[in-house]
Structures are given as structure tokens and as C-alpha cells.
Amino acid sequence: MKIKNLSQVLEGQPKYRYAQINKFLFQDYISDWSEASSLPKKLREELSLECPLEIRADILKVPGDKKTNKALIYLEDGASVETVLIRQKAEKGKSADYQEEIDLKDKRAFRNTICISSQIGCALGCSFCATGENGFLRNLNSAEIVEQIVFWQRFLKKENKQEKVDNVVFMGMGEPFLNYPEFIKAVKFINNPETLNIGARRLSVSTAGITEGIKKIAGEKLQINLAVSLHATTDSLRQKLMPIAKKYSLADIFKAVDDYIKKTGRRVMFEYLMIKGVNDSQKDAENLILLMKRPLYLLNLIPYNPTGRFQPSSRETIDNFKSTLERAGVAVTVRLSFGSEISAACGQLKKNMFK
Ligand code: SAH
Ligand code: SF4
């Protein structure tokens, strides 16, 4: 999709054309200008030439797995970016662990959560993450971030006219807060009632703990959900797992999070991967209790999706770990992990990025 030339094409056109076109592109999700029936024919032809709407992508569907779809979107410069759609049967009162709000009036059969990328690759090189293993190629611009949502909206519309994207999580490839200007520009566009119109409460961003980003997002007047990748309860283990922890200590991160909570009054989710023999002992659980027993802190245990280096904790270990925390009064959930079959799960995006 290439709409850079839009303002050029619309020169001399009445002002209301922008509103009309925004609606076609970001609310009706047309994929061809011929569908924009209320525009003059000549304008449609010019738009088709100057602003092609096609999004080139490959979709990977796995027989027997109706829940998860992964797509590889090809960008203008030949690079590609991965994004995932997770479809969950909607159950009244039940929500995915990272979504806060569900509209109970809404009787559709599925909740659609999409996981989008903010960068191609990631420079932070966490040892458990397939994206990080491959290094960093470049930042995505806001249009490339938004395009991932438009892609899935078109996909869902084609499947069933009632379906739409409900939640958007920035948990794909990359560290959103190291691409802050384009990330926030995309968020505002996604949130804008005149364009994608997805409420900020339906958006979540996950950071490896970039405190500058946590400070900045606290100052935005947006109700986006914040998640912080914790994964260890001591700086020394965290540094082994996440090299960026050498720059941002746990104390720095908790200080930034507490300031964020003071300023916004919003909950913060801490993500904690469960890796066998690495961070899943009773001692780790006890340490976590001390760190997590604070108002508006939520802990989300994530079964580790194997990327080759570590083993996942067993189901039993995760259950016991969770019970220990629950008994101590910590607000804790376990993330359902979809899509590991097709390398679509978090931390497994783009193992073959440069191939
Ligand atoms: N860079 C950001 C956001 C993208 S990663 C961050 O690190 O938070 C999104 C989530 O996937 C993070 O919580 C990350 O720790 C998690 N993740 C990474 N590798 C994983 C793996 N192998 N299995 C499960 N989750 C993983
Ligand atoms: Fe980057 Fe997040 Fe993966 Fe770490 S977990 S390498 S920060 S994408």
C-alpha cells in the first residue's frame, strides 16, 4: 500500500475528500480504488496509478490450527515484516490476559488479537528470543506499522463481514520504545476516530525496560496498556538473559513504572518467561512476591516457546509457581501461548529474516 502521494493527487480537490478517503481506507478497508464508488471515476483512476492499495504478503495457515495465522508482509524496499493474528473463541466475561476490556454487548464468535512489529529484527539480542538472535535491520515507519493492521482488517473482512481486529499488541518483532517517534505516530493514527478508530485501551505495548520510553508514554494522554518484560528477579540473571539489563537496572525500571502508575493510575503488566532451571525455582517465586506485591502490578507468566537455547518449564512447575504467588496475594495470570507450531508465537518471529 503506497499512499505517500495522496496529498499530491488530492490537490485541488474539495477538503471533504480526505474524510471520504480515510473512511474507505481505514474503516471500509477497500483493497482497490474501484471499490471507492462515491469518488469521481477520473480521481479513482489517478489514485489507482499513484496510490496502489495492494499489500503484498504471504499468509501461513496451518491445517488444524484455526486460531493462529502468521503473515509476512513485503515492504517497498524488499524487506519483510512479520505479524500474527490470534483468534480466540469469545467467552462471556473472559478475556485474553493482556486485554482489559471486552464489550459484552458484542456477540461475535471471535476476539481477534493481532501482534504487530515495530522494527525489522531487534538490536537487544535477548538470549531466549528468536527475533533478537538475528540482529537488527531497521526501524519500521508509522505507515509500515499501520499497514499490518490494515492487512488483518482486510483479511477478516474477507472471511466474514462481522469480524474485525479487537486488540493490537506491540509484541512482535522489535523494541517499540527504541523506535518511539514512529511507534507513537502509529498509535495516534490507530486511535484516531477518523482513521482506524481502535480505542487506546485495546492497544498494548511491551518493552524490554527502556525507561525513557516508559517516562514518555506516561506523559502521553493515551490509555494504552503497558507491559514490561521482567523475566528475572535479580540484575545478575536478567543481565545474562537480556544484555540491555546492563543499561537499565531493576531499580531503574521499577522507579519508572512507579512514576508511570502515579501519573496515569493505570495497571502495569510484568511479563515473566518460564524457563526450566533458569528462573522457575521456589526462590525465584519468593523474590517475585517481594517485587510484585504492589497496587496495580500484574504478573503474567509466559510459557517459554523453545527457540533452541533453553527448555520450557513444565506445566506442573508453572502451576506450582503460580499458586505460590497467588497464595501470597500477587495478581498473576498465565498466558495462553498460541501458534508455536508455525513459529508465530512471541519471541519466535522471523527466525529466517535474512534468508
Ligand atoms: N521487545 C519487546 C516487545 C517484543 S517481545 C519486549 O521484549 O518486551 C514480546 C514478548 O515476547 C516479550 O515479553 C518477550 O520477552 C517475549 N518473548 C521473547 N522470546 C520469547 C520466547 N521464546 N517465548 C515466549 N515469549 C518470548
Ligand atoms: Fe528484542 Fe524483545 Fe526479543 Fe528482547 S525479547 S530481543 S527486546 S524483541
Side-chain angles (χ1 to χ4, degrees):
M1 183 158 94
K2 202 171 133 198
I3 51 174
K4 274 204 304 261
N5 299 335
L6 200 57
S7 48
Q8 213 179 301
V9 178
L10 290 185
E11 231 181 67
Q13 290 282 336
K15 276 264 174 297
Y16 63 80
R17 288 276 181 251
Y18 275 100
Q20 258 181 321
I21 285 176
N22 274 339
K23 183 169 180 305
F24 278 127
L25 294 181
F26 303 113
Q27 290 175 9
D28 302 339
Y29 309 110
I30 62 164
S31 46
D32 193 294
W33 288 107
S34 63
E35 296 169 60
S37 46
S38 58
L39 298 181
K41 184 151 179 281
K42 193 164 167 294
L43 179 60
R44 271 185 277 154
E45 282 166 4
E46 207 178 329
L47 286 166
S48 301
L49 277 180
E50 297 295 329
C51 307
L53 295 185
E54 187 202 10
I55 300 176
R56 282 203 311 123
D58 282 327
I59 291 187
L60 183 60
K61 265 194 166 185
V62 168
D65 182 354
K66 292 213 179 76
K67 285 199 289 260
T68 313
N69 300 269
K70 179 164 81 161
L72 192 59
I73 298 180
Y74 299 99
L75 305 173
E76 237 181 284
D77 66 350
S80 56
V81 65
E82 286 188 3
T83 172
V84 178
L85 162 69
I86 302 151
R87 314 191 68 194
Q88 274 179 290
K89 271 229 153 63
E91 283 176 56
K92 214 175 171 188
K94 239 188 187 174
S95 68
D97 48 16
Y98 36 69
Q99 79 191 40
E100 273 184 15
E101 309 289 323
I102 28 177
D103 183 354
L104 294 176
K105 290 193 296 279
D106 188 347
K107 300 234 168 40
R108 286 173 307 116
F110 286 99
R111 303 278 151 214
N112 300 302
T113 297
I114 63 168
C115 181
I116 62 173
S117 299
S118 55
Q119 300 182 309
I120 306 181
C122 182
L124 300 188
C126 301
S127 59
F128 45 76
C129 173
T131 302
E133 257 169 40
N134 282 319
F136 175 69
L137 194 58
R138 69 170 172 88
N139 280 331
L140 292 177
N141 62 42
S142 60
E144 291 167 331
I145 296 174
V146 166
E147 190 171 34
Q148 299 169 61
I149 303 175
V150 173
F151 173 81
W152 288 121
Q153 294 281 32
R154 288 184 192 175
F155 173 89
L156 288 168
K157 181 180 145 191
K158 223 183 273 166
E159 296 251 306
N160 173 346
K161 293 246 178 304
Q162 304 285 315
E163 296 281 324
K164 60 180 173 51
V165 169
D166 296 292
N167 300 289
V168 178
V169 300
F170 283 83
M171 293 187 188
M173 296 164 70
E175 169 52 49
F177 288 169
L178 291 182
N179 185 16
Y180 197 90
E182 294 301 310
F183 154 76
I184 202 71
K185 205 166 145 194
V187 166
K188 288 181 179 163
F189 194 91
I190 296 165
N191 191 219
N192 185 345
E194 278 159 33
T195 53
L196 285 167
N197 195 22
I198 300 179
R201 286 158 180 246
R202 293 174 178 268
L203 311 179
S204 302
V205 58
S206 172
T207 176
I210 310 296
T211 54
E212 294 88 345
I214 298 174
K215 278 180 204 135
K216 274 192 214 148
I217 198 99
E220 308 279 355
K221 295 211 161 33
L222 280 169
Q223 295 189 308
I224 185 170
N225 302 302
L226 174 67
V228 176
S229 289
L230 190 65
H231 307 324
T233 60
T234 62
D235 281 318
S236 64
L237 177 60
R238 203 161 177 272
Q239 286 169 11
K240 278 191 203 130
L241 297 172
M242 309 171 73
I244 192 66
K246 294 189 188 107
K247 183 160 175 206
Y248 302 99
S249 70
L250 286 170
D252 294 340
I253 293 172
F254 285 120
K255 164 87 175 60
V257 166
D258 288 341
D259 289 345
Y260 169 94
I261 290 177
K262 223 182 273 161
K263 205 158 175 183
T264 64
R266 297 191 60 76
R267 301 193 291 178
V268 173
M269 174 172 288
F270 291 90
E271 297 159 288
Y272 191 90
L273 275 180
M274 295 292 295
I275 312 176
K276 188 176 186 172
V278 173
N279 65 356
D280 64 352
S281 69
Q282 276 303 305
K283 175 78 184 132
D284 292 309
E286 284 157 25
N287 288 347
L288 263 180
I289 291 168
L290 296 177
L291 295 174
M292 289 292 110
K293 261 189 78 170
R294 295 181 64 93
L296 300 178
Y297 276 30
L298 276 174
L299 179 66
N300 191 216
L301 303 176
I302 309 173
Y304 164 64
N305 292 313
T307 56
R309 203 173 290 200
F310 302 105
Q311 298 293 318
S313 306
S314 68
R315 189 76 231 182
E316 195 191 349
T317 305
I318 297 177
D319 288 345
N320 290 337
F321 201 85
K322 180 175 181 242
S323 305
T324 305
L325 287 152
E326 261 171 353
R327 275 198 304 275
V330 174
V332 55
T333 51
V334 176
R335 177 173 303 172
L336 303 165
S337 185
F338 300 112
S340 58
E341 303 87 345
I342 51 167
S343 296
C346 297
Q348 294 189 322
L349 291 186
K350 218 50 202 280
K351 267 193 213 160
N352 305 310
M353 184 167 74
F354 300 108
K355 284 184 191 152

